[in-house]
Amino acid sequence: PSSRGGPRTTTTTTAASAAAAGGAARKTASGGGGAAGIKTSPGRVGPGGRTQKENQRPAGRRAGGTKLSDDAAIVADAELMKKNADLVSRNADLELTLKGIEQERDFYFEKLRGIEVMLQVHEEKGVASDPDKLVRKIFKVLYATSDDNVEVTDEGELMGVGSEEDEMK
């Protein structure tokens, strides 16, 4: 049962719902209440100046007027459900891929940002800064993995595992 487009209260029986109800809907369709189980209020005018009965399609018929069999409707539903499951799975895979790409993007952005800070600090210090030490720190940032947990402070210094030992060299 469905109602669409305002105050209409028409009930129709489709082939898919008839199959799902185990034939109970077909009994309703053949047992009174109007042609093919369609209940209408006589004289009620719907959109386009037509009565509700004129606006209704008989149960189990497509817009083109061809009769759908119960088996065809079930097969069509099964195919749509399979396509939906495939699309849901594909969507989950794409979301997972997107998450991984975003993490990788953020990882490399942090590397570049850290190197930028180190270069800005080096430029501010001018002659007092050791270029060899700067190069070593840049390589340390470039070759660090996510497990190394190497970070660059706002002062251009390295924080993380083994950073003090490498800076002494």
Side-chain angles (χ1 to χ4, degrees):
S2 70
S3 62
R4 295 184 186 169
R8 296 187 323 178
T9 56
T10 303
T11 304
T12 60
T13 304
T14 64
S17 64
R26 272 181 256 131
K27 291 176 186 173
T28 302
S30 62
I38 299 173
K39 297 178 183 178
T40 61
S41 302
R44 197 165 197 179
V45 178
R50 298 185 305 190
T51 65
Q52 284 182 340
K53 189 170 185 178
E54 291 171 335
N55 285 331
Q56 294 297 318
R57 285 186 282 140
R61 292 200 178 263
R62 292 186 181 184
T66 61
K67 178 95 170 130
L68 283 179
S69 71
D70 291 345
D71 293 338
I74 292 170
V75 169
D77 285 347
E79 288 173 0
L80 288 175
M81 290 172 61
K82 181 180 182 329
K83 282 183 181 180
N84 185 43
D86 292 343
L87 290 173
V88 167
S89 174
R90 174 109 169 108
N91 188 41
D93 291 344
L94 291 173
E95 286 177 353
L96 187 63
T97 301
L98 177 64
K99 184 178 179 183
I101 289 171
E102 287 174 343
Q103 287 175 340
E104 190 172 347
R105 176 203 61 199
D106 294 343
F107 174 75
Y108 286 108
F109 177 79
E110 288 300 316
K111 283 182 178 276
L112 289 173
R113 178 68 184 128
I115 292 170
E116 178 185 25
V117 168
M118 289 189 313
L119 290 171
Q120 287 172 345
V121 169
H122 176 75
E123 187 177 55
E124 288 173 4
K125 287 184 180 179
V127 179
S129 180
D130 181 12
D132 291 333
K133 183 178 176 184
L134 175 66
V135 169
R136 284 194 306 271
K137 290 190 326 186
I138 289 174
F139 277 120
K140 174 93 173 145
V141 171
L142 285 175
Y143 294 126
T145 64
S146 59
D147 296 335
D148 292 338
N149 198 24
V150 173
E151 295 180 25
V152 178
T153 65
D154 291 338
E155 294 80 33
E157 297 301 319
L158 292 179
M159 291 183 58
V161 180
S163 59
E164 295 84 22
E165 299 155 5
D166 290 341
E167 288 184 27
M168 295 298 203
K169 292 181 183 178

